[in-house]
Amino acid sequence: MTSFTVQLLMNSMITGSVYALVAIGFALTYNIGGFFNMAHGAVFLLGAYGGYVALHVLQFGLPLAVLVSAAAAGLAGIVAHSAVFRRLALSEAPSTVFFISSLGILIAVEGTVATGFGYETIVFMPGPSPSSTFFGARVTDIQVYILALSFALLLALVVFFHMTNIGKQIRAVADDRELAKAVGISVNGVMFWVFVLGSMLAGVAGLFVGMEHTIRPGSGMVAVLWAMVASIMGGVGSFIGPVVGAFLLGFIENLAVTVFPSEWKATVVFSILILFFFLRPVGLFGVRR
Amino acid sequence: MTDYLMHLAIVIGIYATLAQGLNLLLGYTGIISVMQASLYGVGAYISALMASQAGVSFPLAFASASIGAALTGFIVGAAITRLQGDYLALVTFGLAVIFYDVFNNWLTVTKGPMGIPGIPAAFETKEAWLVFVAALAVAALLLVRRIDGSPYGRLLRAVRDDEILASVLGRSTQRTKTTVFTLSAFLAGAAGSVYAHYITFIDPTSFTAMESVSLLTMVIIGGMASPVGPILGAGFVVLVAESLRFAGLPDATAAPLRQVLFGLLIIVAMLFRPQGLMGRYRLSK
């Protein structure tokens, strides 16, 4: 392999692992709640800015900042669930109402963040990060940290879904909602945990994006659109699908910037999304229902 | 002061026309589109380029912008209306990003982030503008009212309420959705042209997905599937935004606060009054 290929694969892994953290919660909410949750971008944003405050205002170290990000986003997820989505679920609102409400949450949070920090782009890590070479590819220490922690989180999630009671309940509801209800699983209770977990993962991803690139209030919408592309490509209805979709998206994105000028990146990604909608709307791992 | 009030009325009129188009989609047909501002942008750019590059007169530029946007809406609509519900909404999100990229990056035509300055104004005085924009908003209102009471309007509502039943009764729901998409794009293009010639400057920031969300707010607050709803919604949203400026807040604080307010308005409307102020229709299963 040439160093170019190694570099491309390396960058794709880093981008993909961060996208996977965002996509999991987005896809789970769709699986269990039956709606596309744009508010997922809001918790991502709160995680990112929470991490920024922890790093630069409170002068915490990185491990503590990760916890702050996860906590801020998880808390926001709980509030969104109990103040809005649980009520809508109780009144049996259609998915359109969920979707529009989640859009409302996204722009309200985006505005809140902009009130505090302005619309400017924020740099988390000024200056170059120390780096090392790996088979001819340059990897910064931050990237190694991001990659290691993302994979640890993904692994922990696999364990969670298979070993814990709540994890199994989540899988049961995603698989067959009516059957799960019939054996006494509370769908609302499961939904609560989906929001907590999904939001915490998205919050950590927000911190990572800030460390690796930059953050601005508009990043929330970008993140949720990326999660949406990853989920649709991989298949929203499956567990492994969104993760695979996220890595595929990371690869496409990094490949696209070597072929097209980087300002057309979003156009390339969304064109592929639209192709998927027409050619394989259930995604790579989806099942037609 | 009267100049300022007239300016507000003109802005409300432009938004009312735009929101009227979205009302046809969201209120009557139940289609969520987050690319209405993109079609508005297509109209604005066509009109601005024709007038400032080729020296075309306003009436011709206005007509071309409306038809150009309608054509774009037709092509997009024909391609995407076969998708269902929320998937359709997601695709319009993706298209909004693509349209924005084109406005922002196609430097040779759109001048990118620099925007197009010096678009010739269509009318000299604010009074003349007010009359023209009011006429446009009233025309859009009459069009929607006409549709509301017509067999076509019933067909739209049938597609919204039960798409499968409508198709079982022998209606092509996809063709219906495509025509309503075209119609709403036509209104968006007309509004875009007027905006370009009124402000005399356009740049990509006016045509974002976020701008489309403001339009959704107008339709939702004003009331879905009500011909006067979008006018009330546009007036409400514009006046709320202006009152923040009146409260003495600098623009840097007023802009994000406005966003917070719109977001909360959407959430509250969805929780407590999904049919909006005047709406006769609430989103339901």
Side-chain angles (χ1 to χ4, degrees), chain B residues 85-109:
Chain B
D86 297 341
Y87 275 73
L88 184 58
L90 291 192
V91 170
T92 64
F93 240 121
L95 285 168
V97 174
I98 292 177
F99 272 91
Y100 179 79
D101 266 9
V102 172
F103 296 147
N104 208 36
N105 297 331
W106 196 11
L107 298 178
T108 46
V109 173

Side-chain angles (χ1 to χ4, degrees), chain A residues 27-35 170-180 235-240 242 280-283 285-289, chain B residues 84 87 164:
Chain A
L28 266 182
T29 326
Y30 179 75
N31 263 331
I32 293 182
F35 68 102
I170 292 176
R171 280 170 51 218
V173 176
D175 191 50
D176 191 331
R177 190 192 180 86
E178 295 311 314
L179 188 62
V236 258
S238 86
F239 275 85
I240 191 74
R280 193 164 167 77
V282 291
F285 291 85
V287 220
R288 232 172 266 271
R289 291 198 182 173
Chain B
Q84 300 285 323
Y87 275 73
I164 296 168

Side-chain angles (χ1 to χ4, degrees), chain A residues 56-132:
Chain A
H56 290 275
V57 181
L58 305 172
Q59 303 283 340
F60 287 171
L62 202 43
L64 213 50
V66 171
L67 289 181
V68 170
S69 285
L75 219 58
I78 294 177
V79 172
H81 171 68
S82 50
V84 181
F85 297 123
R86 205 174 65 91
R87 283 160 186 259
L88 292 178
L90 289 178
S91 65
E92 299 196 334
S95 66
T96 319
V97 169
F98 279 92
F99 180 80
I100 296 176
S101 311
S102 71
L103 207 52
I105 296 176
L106 174 60
I107 61 173
V109 167
E110 193 179 306
T112 309
V113 166
T115 312
F117 298 86
Y119 282 104
E120 295 81 25
T121 301
I122 289 184
V123 182
F124 282 37
M125 299 281 163
S129 156
S131 64
S132 40

Side-chain angles (χ1 to χ4, degrees), chain B residues 158-180:
Chain B
V159 169
R160 176 192 72 195
D161 295 336
D162 197 332
E163 195 169 339
I164 296 168
L165 185 63
S167 62
V168 166
L169 292 173
R171 309 294 180 183
S172 165
T173 60
Q174 204 198 323
R175 193 185 305 152
T176 310
K177 288 195 276 184
T178 307
T179 54
V180 76

